[in-house]
């Protein structure tokens, strides 16, 4: 019976050769080995395209067919990494970015389980990859096990990529508020934080980087926040990054240096439109002395009151201060420092702006 089914399957593959090139192979007979079918799907997918992020164009019939097939065979894929990798091996250097994107998608499923062969394949794929989108997909895949030394080395290398979207993915993978970077990683993220030409890369690092009491790291934040040329979005994100370095609930080590720097900026500004503080203010509002022993609630309330009352401050920043004060002192509107109607109007404008802002 098995021999008969195998023969039928072989004939189906031959008979559907034209279909393989356009939309994928015919459905597998019950009990057949999925490996040949995976190979057929990879051949078919070569006719598809990827977008600039390395994602498969799902309007392509072969891409949709592969997606359906992988969903139907997810148990086999997850339980048979060696068979999957063996079936994919002939396609490692395929000219089609779509095929290579599918390989990354497949190998990426095995990263969390620490499969050594999948790790090796991803490292070798990245070393050869010239399509920025597919390289980004590889970086995203390896971040699932970013504690692995070899995969972290890949991320450090990716932080020097010519492609912004690859560096951005690497920055997100390397930066971790819960852990302080050391050695080559520290050198790489510090260099990128100071000088990467792409604002989104520096934003990703500012927001997620663990700084502790590393004076050089803190000075890099200061340099960004003190530079008159810093774009408003980068200022806002980096100030929030400093605030998270002491206020984030899950932190193992809270940075008092970051606390002093972020509080000082709330107290003294600058507070104009080029120096927005809304994101940082939101995190200050949730800080608790029982979680952050050095957090001075009266100091924070005083800073926010002064900021809300400052007519020269950016309207959005004043709205964030109004929101924070209402949360921190809900029973004492007199502590707002401005009429309640004025505070509510500022808060309403900020809420509308946030609702209308495009999602990042």
């Amino acid at each position: 019976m098995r021999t008969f089914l195998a023969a039928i399957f072989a004939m189906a593959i031959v008979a559907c050769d034209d279909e393989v090139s356009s939309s994928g192979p015919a459905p597998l007979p019950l009990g057949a080995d999925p490996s040949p079918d995976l190979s057929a799907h990879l051949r078919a997918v070569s006719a598809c395209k990827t977008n600039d992020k390395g994602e498969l164009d799902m309007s392509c019939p072969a891409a949709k067919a592969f997606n359906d097939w992988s969903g139907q065979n997810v148990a086999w894929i997850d339980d048979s990494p060696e068979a999957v990798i063996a079936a994919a091996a002939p396609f490692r250097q395929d000219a089609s970015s779509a095929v290579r994107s599918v390989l990354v998608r497949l190998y990426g499923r095995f990263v969390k389980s620490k499969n050594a062969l999948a790790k090796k394949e991803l490292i070798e794929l990245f070393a050869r990859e010239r399509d920025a989108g597919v390289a980004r997909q590889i970086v995203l895949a390896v971040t699932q096990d970013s504690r692995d030394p070899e995969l972290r080395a890949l991320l450090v290398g990716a932080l020097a990529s010519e492609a912004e979207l690859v560096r951005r993915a690497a920055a997100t993978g390397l930066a971790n508020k819960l852990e302080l970077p050391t050695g080559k990683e520290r050198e790489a993220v510090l260099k990128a934080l100071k000088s990467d030409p792409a604002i989104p890369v520096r934003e990703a690092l500012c927001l997620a980087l663990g700084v502790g009491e590393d004076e050089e790291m803190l000075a890099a934040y200061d340099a960004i926040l003190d530079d008159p040329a810093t774009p408003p979005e980068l200022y806002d994100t980096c100030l929030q990054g400093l605030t998270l370095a002491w206020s984030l609930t899950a932190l193992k080590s809270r940075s008092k240096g970051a606390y002093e720097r972020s509080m000082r900026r709330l107290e003294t500004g600058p507070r104009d439109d080029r120096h927005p503080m809304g994101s940082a203010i939101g995190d200050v509002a949730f800080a608790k002395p029982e979680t952050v022993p050095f957090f001075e609630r009266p100091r924070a309330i005083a800073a926010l009151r002064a900021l809300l009352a400052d007519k020269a401050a950016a309207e959005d920043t004043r709205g964030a201060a109004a929101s924070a004060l209402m949360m921190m002192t809900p029973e004492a509107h007199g502590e707002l420092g401005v009429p309640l109607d004025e505070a509510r109007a500022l808060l309403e404008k900020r809420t509308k702006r946030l609702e209308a802002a495009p999602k990042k």
Side-chain angles (χ1 to χ4, degrees):
M1 184 64 178
R2 286 181 181 274
T3 304
F4 175 72
L5 286 174
I8 292 294
F9 175 61
M11 287 189 289
I13 289 294
V14 172
C16 297
D17 216 24
D18 290 339
E19 185 182 359
V20 166
S21 66
S22 60
S23 61
L28 267 178
L30 184 66
D33 176 10
S35 298
D37 213 28
L38 172 56
S39 298
H41 274 291
L42 289 170
R43 285 194 296 275
V45 163
S46 66
C48 300
K49 304 292 185 184
T50 55
N51 62 18
D52 60 355
K53 294 182 179 179
E55 300 162 336
L56 201 56
D57 175 13
M58 296 311 297
S59 68
C60 178
K64 184 180 183 306
F66 169 75
N67 204 50
D68 293 342
W69 176 88
S70 61
Q72 294 161 5
N73 290 274
V74 65
W76 175 77
I77 293 171
D78 288 345
D79 294 342
S80 314
E82 284 74 19
V84 170
I85 293 170
F91 301 89
R92 288 180 185 125
Q93 299 188 53
D94 198 280
S96 168
S97 64
V99 172
R100 301 194 307 277
S101 177
V102 170
L103 296 190
V104 176
R105 175 173 163 179
L106 290 168
Y107 299 157
R109 297 187 69 90
F110 311 132
V111 171
K112 282 188 177 179
S113 61
K114 300 184 182 299
N115 183 279
L117 189 55
K119 179 175 77 171
K120 178 174 178 290
E121 291 287 343
L122 284 168
I123 291 171
E124 291 179 357
L125 274 176
F126 186 77
R128 292 192 299 267
E129 191 55 60
R130 294 297 174 264
D131 183 281
V134 177
R136 171 185 177 270
Q137 291 296 324
I138 297 171
V139 169
L140 293 176
V142 306
T143 56
Q144 296 177 90
D145 186 21
S146 57
R147 290 178 178 274
D148 181 281
E150 290 178 277
L151 295 183
R152 289 196 74 83
L154 185 154
L155 293 177
V156 170
L159 202 55
S161 169
E162 292 181 1
E164 175 187 325
L165 76 169
V166 175
R167 299 198 309 277
R168 185 174 181 178
T172 303
L174 281 171
N176 184 343
K177 270 280 187 283
L178 306 184
E179 296 177 6
L180 305 183
T182 58
K184 290 183 178 179
E185 292 172 28
R186 179 183 176 279
E187 292 174 17
V189 297
L190 190 54
K191 179 181 178 182
L193 181 62
K194 290 178 177 179
S195 60
D196 195 285
I199 297 303
V201 174
R202 300 174 83 188
E203 281 191 276
L205 288 170
C206 272
L207 198 58
L209 194 58
V211 296
E213 302 304 335
D214 187 321
E215 285 299 323
E216 192 175 2
M217 287 283 191
L218 291 168
Y221 276 77
D222 280 339
I224 292 171
L225 295 170
D226 290 337
D227 185 351
T230 294
E233 66 271 22
L234 180 59
Y235 186 94
D236 186 47
T237 302
C238 282
L239 185 57
Q240 184 185 22
L242 273 184
T243 305
L244 288 172
W246 58 267
S247 67
L248 192 65
T249 303
L251 286 176
K252 301 169 187 174
S253 174
R254 301 182 184 281
S255 173
K256 193 165 185 181
Y259 170 75
E260 290 297 338
R261 283 168 166 80
S262 54
M263 288 303 301
R264 208 160 50 233
R265 291 182 187 278
L266 290 179
E267 291 167 334
T268 64
R271 296 166 172 167
D272 54 37
D273 287 332
R274 288 199 58 81
H275 300 86
M277 303 181 179
S279 299
I281 288 170
D283 292 312
V284 171
F286 287 101
K288 299 285 187 292
E290 53 267 33
T291 306
V292 187
F294 49 76
F295 176 61
E296 304 155 288
R297 186 181 174 86
R299 179 184 179 185
I301 290 173
L304 293 173
R305 285 185 66 199
L307 200 159
L308 177 56
D310 186 351
K311 304 293 185 182
E315 187 176 71
D316 188 71
T317 301
R318 294 180 69 208
S323 175
L325 285 167
M326 289 177 184
M327 186 183 302
M328 297 172 78
T329 60
E331 73 293 342
H333 291 314
E335 292 202 46
L336 294 177
V338 300
L340 183 57
D341 287 348
E342 181 181 350
R344 283 176 172 164
L346 288 164
L347 176 54
E348 184 178 345
K349 287 181 180 179
R350 173 171 165 78
T351 301
K352 287 180 179 178
R353 187 193 68 80
L354 291 175
E355 289 174 349
K359 303 297 181 186
K360 288 188 178 182

